[in-house]
Amino acid sequence: MAAHIGRRLRKGAATTAVAAAAVAALSASQAPGVTVDDQGRQSTGDATSAPDTAADDSATGNSPYYTDLPPLNSPNPSPSAGSGETGDRSAAEAGIPATVLDAYKRAEATLREKKSGCNLPWQLLAAIGKVESGQARGGRVTADGTTVTPILGPQLDGNGFALIRDTDNGAYDGNRMYDQAVGPMQFIPSTWDWAGRDGNGDGRKDPNNIYDAALAAGHYLCRNDWDLSEPGDLRKAILSYNNSTDYLNTVLSWLEYYRKGTHEIPDGTGTLPEDRSDARPGVTPSAPGTTPSARPGSRPGKPSGSRPSPSPADPGTGSPGTPPVTPSPSTPPTPTDTVHHLEDAGTGTLTAMADHTFAERISTRAETKAGKAVAKVRIRFTIVGDTDAAFAGGESVATVTTDASGVAVAPALQAGERTGTFAVQAAVAGRSVKGVPYKVTVTQRVADALTRVGDKEPACVAGGEFAEPVEVKATYGGEAAGKVAVTAKLVRSADDPAENDKGPYFKDADGKALRTLTGLRTDADGRLTLPKLYADDTAGTFLLRITTAGGATLDVKLTVEPAATPSPDPDPDPSADPDPSADPDPSADPSTEPSQTPAA
């Protein structure tokens, strides 16, 4: 033990300057409002070293983490820098196992497509992966990214850690009494249950697979519409992962270090961190992947290497032969333990048009059996049904902690393109108590007004075609109504909506006359240009009626002028074209000439 403490003291002296340099660099370059004291410690205006939220409201349950800091010198030392101990350590620390590095970069690429506004850098995933598990225990993963042995944090039994009783019946952590953080990104089971993702396309969501865990971490950090290129949002996202300023400082130090450069190393050859945030005199720190040390008054957790991590698809499979265990009566109940049921907290009608944000937000109240409000309880809102609606950030699940009045307000719902009815289920995270279902309806897009674009009256001659197409704009509440269904029909008159059988017409794909068009939609700006109009040989004034979903109507007058009539030929010139009916010239008629008597 003395050797262990002595090593920590020597390492502490060497790394204090590292923390000061790294954190100061981040403060200057990307974190306005962050200050650094004379010992290199960083503080922010919205964080303290003690958690200010429930432990199970973070990704890791505020589990212990590695506190090792990066070396002082560059992760890419110049060839002339020599190969001394510090330089060798820098090069080793900068290396990330190949499969682990690929998982981080693949997650970044996916989030760039799914949530481009988040601006997630893969280096942030690498920094968290370093602090949480030493890059999956130095890259000890199989070809598909699954850790060779499950990585488990200590059981969260309230003895030196947060108190989080079992929420998964041991399905992820093999512990049916208390939860433990699981996998290379150290998710607690209740968080993985909604945040888990399939990052390697094998159809499973395994917290011990680095591809799944990295993608889940990326989605977790990108929720709440956070933009990680903004220092404030970056700090909030990291603190939501583990609510500690020391944790924030350590992750930011590694983020800055990896941004300066890194390189790929073979799987299984990465350096292992040494120092843990839970290390203290007389207690051996519990590194992920090892059996947590027993503490006075605590029950030891299931040894992490005793069995593979069960598939999330097989919930309820606890440790073989391990019966359910009732927590000790001496353990004080958590707020979650006291919840008897949930009640609606005054939520109004949940209806919105396709691709619009719901004006109303779901509010749920947690209560005891006696109807008393319960604060600091995590309420999970889950979208259920055939819909593409989502909470802010594109998530189908959102978890919110109740306030002092016991109320949790879900993030705003965003309707998708699919219309119809679905449900949002409110439930207590980690407890099977009566929840609240909410009916939600998405209606089709509508417009309440239509106007012509342009003021030139459409006209042409019979048998011709209209030179200018008809263009309209749809609006709803004065704003452009995009993607609204439109129908265009040539009607007989303003009072007779029957389809006209003569006059102007459109053409179908075969060139045949068509006087009703359906399936039209306005563009994103609410505009629509109708196909070219043609006219048959009927002259007159005709009416084109355009209607939208929602009842907006516009009548457009079409004028068809008679075709020009050819002018008759003028009187002929008698001298140029004699009338064949006139009497012939007697002198030219042989019958009138005197007979010639031949000479004798």
Side-chain angles (χ1 to χ4, degrees), residues 26-291:
L26 282 161
S27 298
S29 64
Q30 66 174 46
V34 180
T35 60
V36 182
D37 65 18
D38 58 358
Q39 298 299 316
R41 293 186 295 266
Q42 184 180 20
S43 62
T44 64
D46 58 354
T48 63
S49 58
D52 58 8
T53 60
D56 61 349
D57 201 32
S58 68
T60 69
N62 297 327
S63 293
Y65 55 90
Y66 286 110
T67 58
D68 299 53
L69 293 171
L72 274 175
N73 60 325
S74 169
N76 288 326
S78 63
S80 60
S83 57
E85 181 181 349
T86 305
D88 291 343
R89 180 182 173 235
S90 178
E93 293 281 19
I96 299 178
T99 300
V100 178
L101 181 59
D102 182 60
Y104 296 150
K105 291 185 176 181
R106 188 182 298 187
E108 179 199 55
T110 299
L111 269 298
R112 188 186 305 121
E113 177 184 349
K114 300 290 185 182
K115 297 182 179 181
S116 58
C118 177
N119 295 304
L120 171 78
W122 66 261
Q123 292 91 340
L124 176 58
L125 297 177
I128 291 176
K130 179 71 172 182
V131 170
E132 294 294 348
S133 69
Q135 310 298 18
R137 304 291 290 162
R140 289 165 176 77
V141 296
T142 59
D144 70 346
T146 303
T147 57
V148 175
T149 57
I151 298 178
L152 295 176
Q155 66 177 13
L156 300 173
D157 56 11
N159 290 283
F161 308 117
L163 173 60
I164 305 179
R165 294 194 177 95
D166 176 55
T167 62
D168 65 329
N169 200 28
Y172 297 111
D173 54 15
N175 188 337
R176 299 171 72 179
M177 179 179 287
Y178 301 102
D179 272 351
Q180 295 174 245
V182 183
M185 303 304 277
Q186 289 289 276
F187 280 96
I188 55 174
S190 59
T191 302
W192 181 262
D193 188 53
W194 62 266
R197 294 293 191 279
D198 176 15
N200 63 351
D202 65 356
R204 297 176 64 242
K205 300 175 183 178
D206 182 1
N208 275 300
N209 181 280
I210 186 59
Y211 287 100
D212 295 358
L215 184 57
H219 275 279
Y220 186 90
L221 294 164
C222 285
R223 71 196 195 288
N224 299 328
D225 285 336
W226 283 330
D227 179 356
L228 301 185
S229 66
E230 293 291 333
D233 283 357
L234 176 64
R235 291 196 301 273
K236 291 176 186 176
I238 296 173
L239 286 168
S240 77
Y241 213 88
N242 191 315
N243 193 28
S244 160
T245 302
D246 291 337
Y247 180 86
L248 170 69
N249 294 346
T250 307
V251 170
L252 289 177
S253 297
W254 281 106
L255 171 59
E256 180 69 10
Y257 184 74
Y258 286 133
R259 276 177 167 164
K260 292 178 180 177
T262 187
H263 58 275
E264 178 184 299
I265 60 175
D267 290 343
T269 65
T271 59
L272 297 179
E274 299 174 347
D275 297 323
R276 297 282 296 169
S277 61
D278 59 334
R280 59 188 185 274
V283 177
T284 302
S286 50
T290 63
T291 302

Side-chain angles (χ1 to χ4, degrees), residues 479-536:
E479 300 292 331
K483 300 181 181 179
V484 174
V486 177
T487 298
K489 182 179 181 181
L490 278 307
V491 297
R492 290 180 179 176
S493 69
D495 300 323
D496 186 354
E499 181 180 281
N500 208 336
D501 57 357
K502 57 185 176 180
Y505 62 90
F506 300 104
K507 287 184 178 180
D508 64 13
D510 297 325
K512 296 180 180 178
L514 192 67
R515 290 188 169 87
T516 300
L517 294 180
T518 59
L520 304 172
R521 285 191 179 274
T522 60
D523 63 16
D525 296 323
R527 291 179 176 244
L528 172 66
T529 301
L530 297 181
K532 182 183 286 292
L533 277 162
Y534 302 86
D536 60 14

